Amino acid sequence: MTDVGIEIAGDMQISQQKQKSGTGLEFLQIPQLPLSNIGYPQAHEWIEHRKANIRPWSMFLNTSNIRPPPSLPRLSKRIMRNIEYFQSNYLFVFVGLVIYCLITSPLLLFAVAASLGTCYKVSQRHAKQELTIFNHKLTLAQVYSLVGICSLPIFYLVGAGAALFWVLGVSWFLITLHAAFYNIDSILCPGEDELNSLVMQEV
């Protein structure tokens, strides 16, 4: 009996569809600011770094850690350590005060929105064709600076100077108050904090 061999040749390709893994909570993510698309990738990276370094707000607002400083040398050291540890939280406190000031000042809010809208339109036009003044091509940063300079009279008329000093003053007061009375040692080195308390009681 003769063996008959059947040779089958050919390439078989199986298409695989790659699926992205997700948790189902993508809608809760904070939208990314398109700063890298308008010429400022460094600003985008800096904002993302600040967001990643935010301390828990429950820790930041924990009233059980509010204690008066034991001495003036410890006060200056505590302020510096709190500013270093909670710098991202303090930054968002400043941003919150800026937003509050804009909401309570409709004219200032309108002026800021008009200035930002102008910058956005100019950036779109600059992406297609560079702007020139007296045969000199302007960079995107120079265009933004020109828009800002032209917006200064409008900001002055709507009271942007008073609003700026108010935000700076209130931010300085709140940040200094929190940094002076928040006992950072209870978080960074709780054992040392308890030892200092025992020493103070014995004295």
Side-chain angles (χ1 to χ4, degrees):
M1 184 175 180
T2 306
D3 295 334
V4 179
I6 301 175
E7 182 179 359
I8 300 176
D11 296 334
M12 299 179 64
Q13 297 180 356
I14 302 175
S15 61
Q16 297 179 353
Q17 182 178 3
K18 297 182 180 180
Q19 297 179 355
K20 296 183 180 179
S21 60
T23 59
L25 299 177
E26 288 81 3
F27 64 94
L28 293 178
Q29 297 180 356
I30 299 176
Q32 302 293 330
L33 295 176
L35 295 177
S36 58
N37 297 332
I38 60 176
Y40 285 98
Q42 296 84 1
H44 177 75
E45 294 177 359
W46 183 83
I47 292 176
E48 293 299 323
H49 180 69
R50 292 295 99 197
K51 288 166 57 178
N53 290 335
I54 296 177
R55 307 299 179 181
W57 291 102
S58 58
M59 177 193 303
F60 181 76
L61 301 174
N62 190 3
T63 56
S64 61
N65 292 331
I66 300 299
R67 298 179 185 177
S71 61
L72 288 180
R74 293 282 300 275
L75 172 62
S76 59
K77 183 178 179 181
R78 175 185 287 186
I79 291 176
M80 295 304 298
R81 294 180 70 181
N82 275 319
I83 292 177
E84 182 180 0
Y85 189 77
F86 291 113
Q87 54 181 321
S88 295
N89 298 76
Y90 291 144
L91 176 63
F92 275 84
V93 170
F94 174 79
V95 173
L97 290 174
V98 171
I99 295 175
Y100 171 79
C101 186
L102 292 176
I103 294 176
T104 55
S105 303
L107 292 178
L108 180 59
L109 178 61
F110 177 78
V112 172
S115 179
L116 293 178
T118 303
C119 290
Y120 178 73
K121 292 295 184 181
V122 167
S123 65
Q124 285 186 329
R125 182 177 178 181
H126 186 271
K128 299 178 181 178
Q129 182 181 3
E130 294 183 353
L131 300 178
T132 57
I133 296 181
F134 299 109
N135 296 328
H136 177 71
K137 293 184 178 181
L138 300 179
T139 63
L140 190 57
Q142 292 174 342
V143 174
Y144 287 159
S145 301
L146 184 61
V147 174
I149 293 174
C150 295
S151 302
L152 287 179
I154 300 176
F155 288 151
Y156 176 79
L157 293 176
V158 298
L164 177 62
F165 281 108
W166 182 87
V167 170
L168 292 177
V170 175
S171 300
W172 178 85
F173 175 77
L174 293 178
I175 293 173
T176 304
L177 186 66
H178 183 274
F181 285 92
Y182 192 90
N183 185 20
I184 190 64
D185 294 333
S186 61
I187 298 176
L188 299 181
C189 45
E192 181 181 350
D193 182 61
E194 294 177 359
L195 181 60
N196 293 332
S197 300
L198 293 176
V199 172
M200 293 298 296
Q201 291 177 1
E202 293 179 358
V203 175

